[in-house]
PDB file of all heavy atoms in Angstrom:
ATOM      1  N   CYS A 276       1.973  14.852  -7.481  1.00 88.00           N
ATOM      2  CA  CYS A 276       1.458  15.872  -6.570  1.00 88.00           C
ATOM      3  C   CYS A 276       2.228  17.104  -6.529  1.00 88.00           C
ATOM      4  O   CYS A 276       3.523  17.077  -6.539  1.00 88.00           O
ATOM      5  CB  CYS A 276       1.174  15.299  -5.240  1.00 88.00           C
ATOM      6  SG  CYS A 276       0.007  14.051  -5.071  1.00 88.00           S
ATOM      7  N   ALA A 277       1.720  18.227  -6.423  1.00 89.00           N
ATOM      8  CA  ALA A 277       2.432  19.479  -6.256  1.00 89.00           C
ATOM      9  C   ALA A 277       2.217  19.976  -4.852  1.00 89.00           C
ATOM     10  O   ALA A 277       1.168  20.051  -4.309  1.00 89.00           O
ATOM     11  CB  ALA A 277       1.991  20.584  -7.189  1.00 89.00           C
ATOM     12  N   VAL A 278       3.248  20.424  -4.129  1.00 91.00           N
ATOM     13  CA  VAL A 278       3.256  20.644  -2.668  1.00 91.00           C
ATOM     14  C   VAL A 278       3.583  22.187  -2.376  1.00 91.00           C
ATOM     15  O   VAL A 278       4.501  22.659  -3.018  1.00 91.00           O
ATOM     16  CB  VAL A 278       4.256  19.860  -1.910  1.00 91.00           C
ATOM     17  CG1 VAL A 278       4.195  20.099  -0.436  1.00 91.00           C
ATOM     18  CG2 VAL A 278       3.902  18.334  -2.269  1.00 91.00           C
ATOM     19  N   ILE A 279       2.700  22.795  -1.600  1.00 90.00           N
ATOM     20  CA  ILE A 279       3.031  24.147  -1.160  1.00 90.00           C
ATOM     21  C   ILE A 279       2.976  24.173   0.362  1.00 90.00           C
ATOM     22  O   ILE A 279       2.028  23.648   0.892  1.00 90.00           O
ATOM     23  CB  ILE A 279       1.940  25.030  -1.665  1.00 90.00           C
ATOM     24  CG1 ILE A 279       1.913  25.134  -3.251  1.00 90.00           C
ATOM     25  CG2 ILE A 279       2.049  26.517  -1.237  1.00 90.00           C
ATOM     26  CD1 ILE A 279       0.636  25.808  -3.861  1.00 90.00           C
ATOM     27  N   ALA A 280       3.982  24.695   0.996  1.00 91.00           N
ATOM     28  CA  ALA A 280       4.101  24.825   2.413  1.00 91.00           C
ATOM     29  C   ALA A 280       3.283  25.934   2.906  1.00 91.00           C
ATOM     30  O   ALA A 280       3.399  26.999   2.581  1.00 91.00           O
ATOM     31  CB  ALA A 280       5.484  24.903   2.887  1.00 91.00           C
ATOM     32  N   ALA A 281       2.317  25.632   3.802  1.00 92.00           N
ATOM     33  CA  ALA A 281       1.471  26.669   4.541  1.00 92.00           C
ATOM     34  C   ALA A 281       2.137  26.988   5.817  1.00 92.00           C
ATOM     35  O   ALA A 281       1.906  28.164   6.156  1.00 92.00           O
ATOM     36  CB  ALA A 281      -0.013  26.089   4.715  1.00 92.00           C
ATOM     37  N   SER A 282       2.829  26.116   6.545  1.00 90.00           N
ATOM     38  CA  SER A 282       3.545  26.456   7.709  1.00 90.00           C
ATOM     39  C   SER A 282       4.667  25.362   7.842  1.00 90.00           C
ATOM     40  O   SER A 282       4.881  24.636   6.894  1.00 90.00           O
ATOM     41  CB  SER A 282       2.609  26.323   9.066  1.00 90.00           C
ATOM     42  OG  SER A 282       2.202  25.236   9.239  1.00 90.00           O
ATOM     43  N   GLU A 283       5.126  25.331   9.053  1.00 89.00           N
ATOM     44  CA  GLU A 283       6.356  24.342   9.194  1.00 89.00           C
ATOM     45  C   GLU A 283       5.908  22.865   8.984  1.00 89.00           C
ATOM     46  O   GLU A 283       6.538  22.031   8.422  1.00 89.00           O
ATOM     47  CB  GLU A 283       7.022  24.494  10.565  1.00 89.00           C
ATOM     48  CG  GLU A 283       8.252  23.779  10.752  1.00 89.00           C
ATOM     49  CD  GLU A 283       8.858  24.058  12.101  1.00 89.00           C
ATOM     50  OE1 GLU A 283       8.441  25.018  12.887  1.00 89.00           O
ATOM     51  OE2 GLU A 283       9.917  23.396  12.420  1.00 89.00           O
ATOM     52  N   TRP A 284       4.673  22.567   9.509  1.00 90.00           N
ATOM     53  CA  TRP A 284       4.165  21.196   9.449  1.00 90.00           C
ATOM     54  C   TRP A 284       2.976  21.037   8.520  1.00 90.00           C
ATOM     55  O   TRP A 284       2.574  19.879   8.294  1.00 90.00           O
ATOM     56  CB  TRP A 284       3.867  20.607  10.887  1.00 90.00           C
ATOM     57  CG  TRP A 284       5.108  20.467  11.691  1.00 90.00           C
ATOM     58  CD1 TRP A 284       5.567  21.325  12.649  1.00 90.00           C
ATOM     59  CD2 TRP A 284       5.973  19.366  11.693  1.00 90.00           C
ATOM     60  NE1 TRP A 284       6.748  20.807  13.183  1.00 90.00           N
ATOM     61  CE2 TRP A 284       6.937  19.589  12.644  1.00 90.00           C
ATOM     62  CE3 TRP A 284       6.004  18.252  10.991  1.00 90.00           C
ATOM     63  CZ2 TRP A 284       8.013  18.668  12.895  1.00 90.00           C
ATOM     64  CZ3 TRP A 284       7.122  17.315  11.135  1.00 90.00           C
ATOM     65  CH2 TRP A 284       8.082  17.567  12.251  1.00 90.00           C
ATOM     66  N   ILE A 285       2.284  22.009   8.122  1.00 93.00           N
ATOM     67  CA  ILE A 285       1.047  21.938   7.304  1.00 93.00           C
ATOM     68  C   ILE A 285       1.456  22.248   5.863  1.00 93.00           C
ATOM     69  O   ILE A 285       2.117  23.321   5.539  1.00 93.00           O
ATOM     70  CB  ILE A 285       0.006  22.966   7.953  1.00 93.00           C
ATOM     71  CG1 ILE A 285      -0.356  22.580   9.371  1.00 93.00           C
ATOM     72  CG2 ILE A 285      -1.302  22.928   7.002  1.00 93.00           C
ATOM     73  CD1 ILE A 285      -1.236  23.508  10.176  1.00 93.00           C
ATOM     74  N   TYR A 286       0.880  21.400   5.067  1.00 93.00           N
ATOM     75  CA  TYR A 286       1.121  21.581   3.614  1.00 93.00           C
ATOM     76  C   TYR A 286      -0.110  21.492   2.846  1.00 93.00           C
ATOM     77  O   TYR A 286      -0.985  20.842   3.172  1.00 93.00           O
ATOM     78  CB  TYR A 286       2.098  20.566   3.126  1.00 93.00           C
ATOM     79  CG  TYR A 286       3.511  20.568   3.644  1.00 93.00           C
ATOM     80  CD1 TYR A 286       3.812  20.024   4.914  1.00 93.00           C
ATOM     81  CD2 TYR A 286       4.498  21.417   3.101  1.00 93.00           C
ATOM     82  CE1 TYR A 286       5.024  20.064   5.479  1.00 93.00           C
ATOM     83  CE2 TYR A 286       5.796  21.488   3.720  1.00 93.00           C
ATOM     84  CZ  TYR A 286       6.046  20.833   4.815  1.00 93.00           C
ATOM     85  OH  TYR A 286       7.266  20.965   5.432  1.00 93.00           O
ATOM     86  N   GLN A 287      -0.170  22.239   1.672  1.00 94.00           N
ATOM     87  CA  GLN A 287      -1.382  22.010   0.784  1.00 94.00           C
ATOM     88  C   GLN A 287      -0.755  21.281  -0.385  1.00 94.00           C
ATOM     89  O   GLN A 287       0.153  21.650  -1.059  1.00 94.00           O
ATOM     90  CB  GLN A 287      -1.895  23.448   0.286  1.00 94.00           C
ATOM     91  CG  GLN A 287      -2.743  24.033   1.416  1.00 94.00           C
ATOM     92  CD  GLN A 287      -3.457  25.248   0.752  1.00 94.00           C
ATOM     93  OE1 GLN A 287      -3.007  25.931  -0.173  1.00 94.00           O
ATOM     94  NE2 GLN A 287      -4.641  25.493   1.359  1.00 94.00           N
ATOM     95  N   VAL A 288      -1.505  20.226  -0.701  1.00 93.00           N
ATOM     96  CA  VAL A 288      -0.964  19.270  -1.748  1.00 93.00           C
ATOM     97  C   VAL A 288      -2.034  19.178  -2.927  1.00 93.00           C
ATOM     98  O   VAL A 288      -3.178  18.870  -2.605  1.00 93.00           O
ATOM     99  CB  VAL A 288      -0.728  17.874  -1.212  1.00 93.00           C
ATOM    100  CG1 VAL A 288      -0.266  16.922  -2.311  1.00 93.00           C
ATOM    101  CG2 VAL A 288       0.246  17.803  -0.084  1.00 93.00           C
TER     102      VAL A 288
END
Side-chain angles (χ1 to χ4, degrees):
C276 297
V278 182
I279 301 170
S282 72
E283 190 176 350
W284 290 99
I285 299 173
Y286 295 89
Q287 285 192 332
V288 180

